[in-house]
PDB file of all heavy atoms in Angstrom:
ATOM      1  N   ILE A   1     -49.097  15.890 -87.714  1.00 98.00           N
ATOM      2  CA  ILE A   1     -50.447  15.698 -87.959  1.00 98.00           C
ATOM      3  C   ILE A   1     -51.182  17.044 -88.011  1.00 98.00           C
ATOM      4  O   ILE A   1     -52.015  17.280 -88.822  1.00 98.00           O
ATOM      5  CB  ILE A   1     -51.050  14.895 -86.812  1.00 98.00           C
ATOM      6  CG1 ILE A   1     -50.597  13.396 -86.886  1.00 98.00           C
ATOM      7  CG2 ILE A   1     -52.621  14.938 -86.654  1.00 98.00           C
ATOM      8  CD1 ILE A   1     -50.792  12.561 -85.698  1.00 98.00           C
ATOM      9  N   ILE A   2     -50.846  17.957 -87.119  1.00 98.00           N
ATOM     10  CA  ILE A   2     -51.424  19.277 -87.084  1.00 98.00           C
ATOM     11  C   ILE A   2     -51.183  19.985 -88.463  1.00 98.00           C
ATOM     12  O   ILE A   2     -52.053  20.613 -89.057  1.00 98.00           O
ATOM     13  CB  ILE A   2     -50.932  20.175 -85.897  1.00 98.00           C
ATOM     14  CG1 ILE A   2     -51.514  19.504 -84.673  1.00 98.00           C
ATOM     15  CG2 ILE A   2     -51.323  21.637 -86.129  1.00 98.00           C
ATOM     16  CD1 ILE A   2     -50.914  20.116 -83.407  1.00 98.00           C
ATOM     17  N   ALA A   3     -49.877  19.937 -88.942  1.00 97.00           N
ATOM     18  CA  ALA A   3     -49.496  20.581 -90.195  1.00 97.00           C
ATOM     19  C   ALA A   3     -50.326  20.034 -91.422  1.00 97.00           C
ATOM     20  O   ALA A   3     -50.839  20.713 -92.189  1.00 97.00           O
ATOM     21  CB  ALA A   3     -48.024  20.475 -90.446  1.00 97.00           C
ATOM     22  N   TYR A   4     -50.523  18.700 -91.350  1.00 98.00           N
ATOM     23  CA  TYR A   4     -51.266  18.029 -92.398  1.00 98.00           C
ATOM     24  C   TYR A   4     -52.704  18.579 -92.366  1.00 98.00           C
ATOM     25  O   TYR A   4     -53.272  18.958 -93.488  1.00 98.00           O
ATOM     26  CB  TYR A   4     -51.306  16.502 -92.189  1.00 98.00           C
ATOM     27  CG  TYR A   4     -52.334  15.865 -93.107  1.00 98.00           C
ATOM     28  CD1 TYR A   4     -51.999  15.570 -94.469  1.00 98.00           C
ATOM     29  CD2 TYR A   4     -53.540  15.449 -92.698  1.00 98.00           C
ATOM     30  CE1 TYR A   4     -52.851  14.923 -95.249  1.00 98.00           C
ATOM     31  CE2 TYR A   4     -54.449  14.851 -93.462  1.00 98.00           C
ATOM     32  CZ  TYR A   4     -54.095  14.642 -94.801  1.00 98.00           C
ATOM     33  OH  TYR A   4     -54.967  13.938 -95.643  1.00 98.00           O
ATOM     34  N   TYR A   5     -53.337  18.653 -91.280  1.00 98.00           N
ATOM     35  CA  TYR A   5     -54.747  19.056 -91.293  1.00 98.00           C
ATOM     36  C   TYR A   5     -54.889  20.604 -91.630  1.00 98.00           C
ATOM     37  O   TYR A   5     -55.887  20.940 -92.231  1.00 98.00           O
ATOM     38  CB  TYR A   5     -55.418  18.842 -89.929  1.00 98.00           C
ATOM     39  CG  TYR A   5     -55.838  17.315 -89.886  1.00 98.00           C
ATOM     40  CD1 TYR A   5     -55.128  16.293 -89.231  1.00 98.00           C
ATOM     41  CD2 TYR A   5     -57.025  16.886 -90.549  1.00 98.00           C
ATOM     42  CE1 TYR A   5     -55.513  14.979 -89.230  1.00 98.00           C
ATOM     43  CE2 TYR A   5     -57.456  15.579 -90.426  1.00 98.00           C
ATOM     44  CZ  TYR A   5     -56.675  14.644 -89.849  1.00 98.00           C
ATOM     45  OH  TYR A   5     -57.054  13.344 -89.834  1.00 98.00           O
ATOM     46  N   ILE A   6     -53.902  21.387 -91.203  1.00 98.00           N
ATOM     47  CA  ILE A   6     -53.890  22.781 -91.625  1.00 98.00           C
ATOM     48  C   ILE A   6     -53.809  22.874 -93.081  1.00 98.00           C
ATOM     49  O   ILE A   6     -54.603  23.618 -93.777  1.00 98.00           O
ATOM     50  CB  ILE A   6     -52.863  23.579 -90.912  1.00 98.00           C
ATOM     51  CG1 ILE A   6     -53.155  23.729 -89.485  1.00 98.00           C
ATOM     52  CG2 ILE A   6     -52.680  24.982 -91.542  1.00 98.00           C
ATOM     53  CD1 ILE A   6     -52.106  24.319 -88.626  1.00 98.00           C
ATOM     54  N   ARG A   7     -52.801  22.243 -93.654  1.00 98.00           N
ATOM     55  CA  ARG A   7     -52.689  22.300 -95.153  1.00 98.00           C
ATOM     56  C   ARG A   7     -53.931  21.809 -95.941  1.00 98.00           C
ATOM     57  O   ARG A   7     -54.307  22.417 -96.893  1.00 98.00           O
ATOM     58  CB  ARG A   7     -51.415  21.449 -95.591  1.00 98.00           C
ATOM     59  CG  ARG A   7     -50.090  22.009 -95.214  1.00 98.00           C
ATOM     60  CD  ARG A   7     -48.941  21.279 -95.915  1.00 98.00           C
ATOM     61  NE  ARG A   7     -49.003  19.840 -95.654  1.00 98.00           N
ATOM     62  CZ  ARG A   7     -48.416  19.188 -94.743  1.00 98.00           C
ATOM     63  NH1 ARG A   7     -47.735  19.803 -93.807  1.00 98.00           N
ATOM     64  NH2 ARG A   7     -48.439  17.924 -94.642  1.00 98.00           N
ATOM     65  N   MET A   8     -54.493  20.713 -95.466  1.00 98.00           N
ATOM     66  CA  MET A   8     -55.674  20.241 -96.166  1.00 98.00           C
ATOM     67  C   MET A   8     -56.863  21.201 -96.011  1.00 98.00           C
ATOM     68  O   MET A   8     -57.651  21.403 -97.019  1.00 98.00           O
ATOM     69  CB  MET A   8     -56.131  18.846 -95.554  1.00 98.00           C
ATOM     70  CG  MET A   8     -55.090  17.704 -95.924  1.00 98.00           C
ATOM     71  SD  MET A   8     -54.822  17.451 -97.708  1.00 98.00           S
ATOM     72  CE  MET A   8     -53.223  18.232 -97.844  1.00 98.00           C
ATOM     73  N   ALA A   9     -57.088  21.814 -94.860  1.00 98.00           N
ATOM     74  CA  ALA A   9     -58.152  22.794 -94.746  1.00 98.00           C
ATOM     75  C   ALA A   9     -57.945  23.972 -95.592  1.00 98.00           C
ATOM     76  O   ALA A   9     -58.871  24.529 -96.266  1.00 98.00           O
ATOM     77  CB  ALA A   9     -58.248  23.200 -93.231  1.00 98.00           C
ATOM     78  N   LEU A  10     -56.664  24.476 -95.697  1.00 98.00           N
ATOM     79  CA  LEU A  10     -56.477  25.650 -96.500  1.00 98.00           C
ATOM     80  C   LEU A  10     -56.594  25.242 -98.046  1.00 98.00           C
ATOM     81  O   LEU A  10     -57.091  26.042 -98.789  1.00 98.00           O
ATOM     82  CB  LEU A  10     -55.085  26.121 -96.199  1.00 98.00           C
ATOM     83  CG  LEU A  10     -54.881  26.823 -94.931  1.00 98.00           C
ATOM     84  CD1 LEU A  10     -53.456  27.209 -94.656  1.00 98.00           C
ATOM     85  CD2 LEU A  10     -55.811  28.019 -94.663  1.00 98.00           C
ATOM     86  N   ALA A  11     -56.168  24.096 -98.408  1.00 98.00           N
ATOM     87  CA  ALA A  11     -56.284  23.590 -99.791  1.00 98.00           C
ATOM     88  C   ALA A  11     -57.741  23.526-100.170  1.00 98.00           C
ATOM     89  O   ALA A  11     -58.202  23.984-101.369  1.00 98.00           O
ATOM     90  CB  ALA A  11     -55.513  22.395-100.031  1.00 98.00           C
ATOM     91  N   LYS A  12     -58.570  22.972 -99.344  1.00 98.00           N
ATOM     92  CA  LYS A  12     -60.032  22.863 -99.642  1.00 98.00           C
ATOM     93  C   LYS A  12     -60.621  24.245 -99.748  1.00 98.00           C
ATOM     94  O   LYS A  12     -61.381  24.461-100.666  1.00 98.00           O
ATOM     95  CB  LYS A  12     -60.683  22.056 -98.483  1.00 98.00           C
ATOM     96  CG  LYS A  12     -62.122  21.843 -98.840  1.00 98.00           C
ATOM     97  CD  LYS A  12     -62.811  20.922 -97.778  1.00 98.00           C
ATOM     98  CE  LYS A  12     -64.175  20.423 -98.090  1.00 98.00           C
ATOM     99  NZ  LYS A  12     -65.157  21.488 -97.916  1.00 98.00           N
ATOM    100  N   LEU A  13     -60.258  25.191 -98.915  1.00 98.00           N
ATOM    101  CA  LEU A  13     -60.736  26.517 -99.038  1.00 98.00           C
ATOM    102  C   LEU A  13     -60.321  27.130-100.316  1.00 98.00           C
ATOM    103  O   LEU A  13     -61.058  27.876-100.954  1.00 98.00           O
ATOM    104  CB  LEU A  13     -60.276  27.348 -97.783  1.00 98.00           C
ATOM    105  CG  LEU A  13     -60.843  28.768 -97.705  1.00 98.00           C
ATOM    106  CD1 LEU A  13     -62.354  28.789 -97.693  1.00 98.00           C
ATOM    107  CD2 LEU A  13     -60.222  29.358 -96.380  1.00 98.00           C
ATOM    108  N   GLY A  14     -59.029  26.858-100.703  1.00 98.00           N
ATOM    109  CA  GLY A  14     -58.541  27.449-101.861  1.00 98.00           C
ATOM    110  C   GLY A  14     -59.311  26.914-103.179  1.00 98.00           C
ATOM    111  O   GLY A  14     -59.705  27.660-104.056  1.00 98.00           O
ATOM    112  N   GLU A  15     -59.628  25.659-103.161  1.00 97.00           N
ATOM    113  CA  GLU A  15     -60.431  25.048-104.233  1.00 97.00           C
ATOM    114  C   GLU A  15     -61.828  25.699-104.211  1.00 97.00           C
ATOM    115  O   GLU A  15     -62.359  25.979-105.389  1.00 97.00           O
ATOM    116  CB  GLU A  15     -60.584  23.566-104.092  1.00 97.00           C
ATOM    117  CG  GLU A  15     -59.270  22.768-104.287  1.00 97.00           C
ATOM    118  CD  GLU A  15     -58.813  22.828-105.745  1.00 97.00           C
ATOM    119  OE1 GLU A  15     -59.661  23.002-106.694  1.00 97.00           O
ATOM    120  OE2 GLU A  15     -57.571  22.699-105.894  1.00 97.00           O
ATOM    121  N   GLU A  16     -62.356  25.911-103.109  1.00 97.00           N
ATOM    122  CA  GLU A  16     -63.737  26.548-103.046  1.00 97.00           C
ATOM    123  C   GLU A  16     -63.658  27.966-103.516  1.00 97.00           C
ATOM    124  O   GLU A  16     -64.579  28.435-104.241  1.00 97.00           O
ATOM    125  CB  GLU A  16     -64.285  26.504-101.601  1.00 97.00           C
ATOM    126  CG  GLU A  16     -64.622  25.165-101.164  1.00 97.00           C
ATOM    127  CD  GLU A  16     -65.017  25.149 -99.729  1.00 97.00           C
ATOM    128  OE1 GLU A  16     -64.242  25.293 -98.890  1.00 97.00           O
ATOM    129  OE2 GLU A  16     -66.286  24.864 -99.462  1.00 97.00           O
ATOM    130  N   CYS A  17     -62.562  28.742-103.207  1.00 96.00           N
ATOM    131  CA  CYS A  17     -62.476  30.072-103.714  1.00 96.00           C
ATOM    132  C   CYS A  17     -62.341  30.067-105.277  1.00 96.00           C
ATOM    133  O   CYS A  17     -62.977  30.894-105.930  1.00 96.00           O
ATOM    134  CB  CYS A  17     -61.197  30.735-103.181  1.00 96.00           C
ATOM    135  SG  CYS A  17     -61.295  31.154-101.448  1.00 96.00           S
ATOM    136  N   ILE A  18     -61.621  29.172-105.847  1.00 95.00           N
ATOM    137  CA  ILE A  18     -61.494  29.149-107.316  1.00 95.00           C
ATOM    138  C   ILE A  18     -62.801  28.836-107.930  1.00 95.00           C
ATOM    139  O   ILE A  18     -63.184  29.535-108.866  1.00 95.00           O
ATOM    140  CB  ILE A  18     -60.416  28.086-107.713  1.00 95.00           C
ATOM    141  CG1 ILE A  18     -59.041  28.479-107.390  1.00 95.00           C
ATOM    142  CG2 ILE A  18     -60.509  27.738-109.212  1.00 95.00           C
ATOM    143  CD1 ILE A  18     -58.024  27.361-107.614  1.00 95.00           C
ATOM    144  N   ALA A  19     -63.529  27.949-107.356  1.00 92.00           N
ATOM    145  CA  ALA A  19     -64.900  27.672-107.912  1.00 92.00           C
ATOM    146  C   ALA A  19     -65.794  28.889-107.879  1.00 92.00           C
ATOM    147  O   ALA A  19     -66.535  29.187-108.785  1.00 92.00           O
ATOM    148  CB  ALA A  19     -65.558  26.486-107.154  1.00 92.00           C
ATOM    149  N   LYS A  20     -65.753  29.548-106.667  1.00 92.00           N
ATOM    150  CA  LYS A  20     -66.557  30.814-106.533  1.00 92.00           C
ATOM    151  C   LYS A  20     -66.205  31.822-107.577  1.00 92.00           C
ATOM    152  O   LYS A  20     -67.017  32.543-108.105  1.00 92.00           O
ATOM    153  CB  LYS A  20     -66.452  31.370-105.104  1.00 92.00           C
ATOM    154  CG  LYS A  20     -67.215  30.633-104.075  1.00 92.00           C
ATOM    155  CD  LYS A  20     -67.114  31.314-102.723  1.00 92.00           C
ATOM    156  CE  LYS A  20     -68.106  30.896-101.747  1.00 92.00           C
ATOM    157  NZ  LYS A  20     -69.476  31.082-102.161  1.00 92.00           N
ATOM    158  N   ILE A  21     -64.993  32.016-107.794  1.00 90.00           N
ATOM    159  CA  ILE A  21     -64.420  33.051-108.686  1.00 90.00           C
ATOM    160  C   ILE A  21     -64.737  32.677-110.203  1.00 90.00           C
ATOM    161  O   ILE A  21     -65.293  33.512-110.927  1.00 90.00           O
ATOM    162  CB  ILE A  21     -63.006  33.310-108.561  1.00 90.00           C
ATOM    163  CG1 ILE A  21     -62.754  33.852-107.168  1.00 90.00           C
ATOM    164  CG2 ILE A  21     -62.519  34.289-109.507  1.00 90.00           C
ATOM    165  CD1 ILE A  21     -61.285  33.860-106.643  1.00 90.00           C
ATOM    166  N   ARG A  22     -64.375  31.498-110.574  1.00 83.00           N
ATOM    167  CA  ARG A  22     -64.430  31.081-111.975  1.00 83.00           C
ATOM    168  C   ARG A  22     -65.899  30.821-112.438  1.00 83.00           C
ATOM    169  O   ARG A  22     -66.179  30.955-113.659  1.00 83.00           O
ATOM    170  CB  ARG A  22     -63.567  29.868-112.277  1.00 83.00           C
ATOM    171  CG  ARG A  22     -62.184  30.189-112.332  1.00 83.00           C
ATOM    172  CD  ARG A  22     -61.392  28.885-112.848  1.00 83.00           C
ATOM    173  NE  ARG A  22     -60.078  29.261-113.195  1.00 83.00           N
ATOM    174  CZ  ARG A  22     -59.271  28.293-113.577  1.00 83.00           C
ATOM    175  NH1 ARG A  22     -59.638  27.110-113.752  1.00 83.00           N
ATOM    176  NH2 ARG A  22     -57.970  28.598-113.938  1.00 83.00           N
ATOM    177  N   ASP A  23     -66.628  30.205-111.633  1.00 81.00           N
ATOM    178  CA  ASP A  23     -67.950  29.618-112.093  1.00 81.00           C
ATOM    179  C   ASP A  23     -69.128  30.555-111.833  1.00 81.00           C
ATOM    180  O   ASP A  23     -70.192  30.068-111.475  1.00 81.00           O
ATOM    181  CB  ASP A  23     -68.217  28.253-111.324  1.00 81.00           C
ATOM    182  CG  ASP A  23     -67.077  27.240-111.651  1.00 81.00           C
ATOM    183  OD1 ASP A  23     -66.412  27.395-112.720  1.00 81.00           O
ATOM    184  OD2 ASP A  23     -66.885  26.319-110.836  1.00 81.00           O
ATOM    185  N   ARG A  24     -68.905  31.746-112.077  1.00 75.00           N
ATOM    186  CA  ARG A  24     -70.094  32.727-111.925  1.00 75.00           C
ATOM    187  C   ARG A  24     -70.796  32.836-113.286  1.00 75.00           C
ATOM    188  O   ARG A  24     -70.206  32.637-114.319  1.00 75.00           O
ATOM    189  CB  ARG A  24     -69.555  34.104-111.558  1.00 75.00           C
ATOM    190  CG  ARG A  24     -68.912  34.200-110.240  1.00 75.00           C
ATOM    191  CD  ARG A  24     -68.516  35.562-110.004  1.00 75.00           C
ATOM    192  NE  ARG A  24     -67.830  35.555-108.658  1.00 75.00           N
ATOM    193  CZ  ARG A  24     -66.614  36.256-108.522  1.00 75.00           C
ATOM    194  NH1 ARG A  24     -66.127  36.978-109.455  1.00 75.00           N
ATOM    195  NH2 ARG A  24     -66.086  36.297-107.282  1.00 75.00           N
ATOM    196  N   SER A  25     -72.086  33.184-113.250  1.00 70.00           N
ATOM    197  CA  SER A  25     -72.815  33.468-114.420  1.00 70.00           C
ATOM    198  C   SER A  25     -72.257  34.787-115.100  1.00 70.00           C
ATOM    199  O   SER A  25     -71.586  35.608-114.483  1.00 70.00           O
ATOM    200  CB  SER A  25     -74.306  33.665-114.153  1.00 70.00           C
ATOM    201  OG  SER A  25     -74.443  34.937-113.439  1.00 70.00           O
TER     202      SER A  25
END
């Protein structure tokens, strides 16, 4: 359970990072 929630939190953060990097003006 702990491993699952850690992986999901890191993946969500990764998706947010990609959006911040790629989607700039």
Side-chain angles (χ1 to χ4, degrees):
I1 290 168
I2 291 168
Y4 169 80
Y5 280 100
I6 289 172
R7 286 190 309 266
M8 292 301 104
L10 292 176
K12 184 174 189 284
L13 186 56
E15 292 293 334
E16 290 174 290
C17 287
I18 290 174
K20 283 182 165 298
I21 297 165
R22 280 189 171 182
D23 299 337
R24 295 184 185 135
S25 70

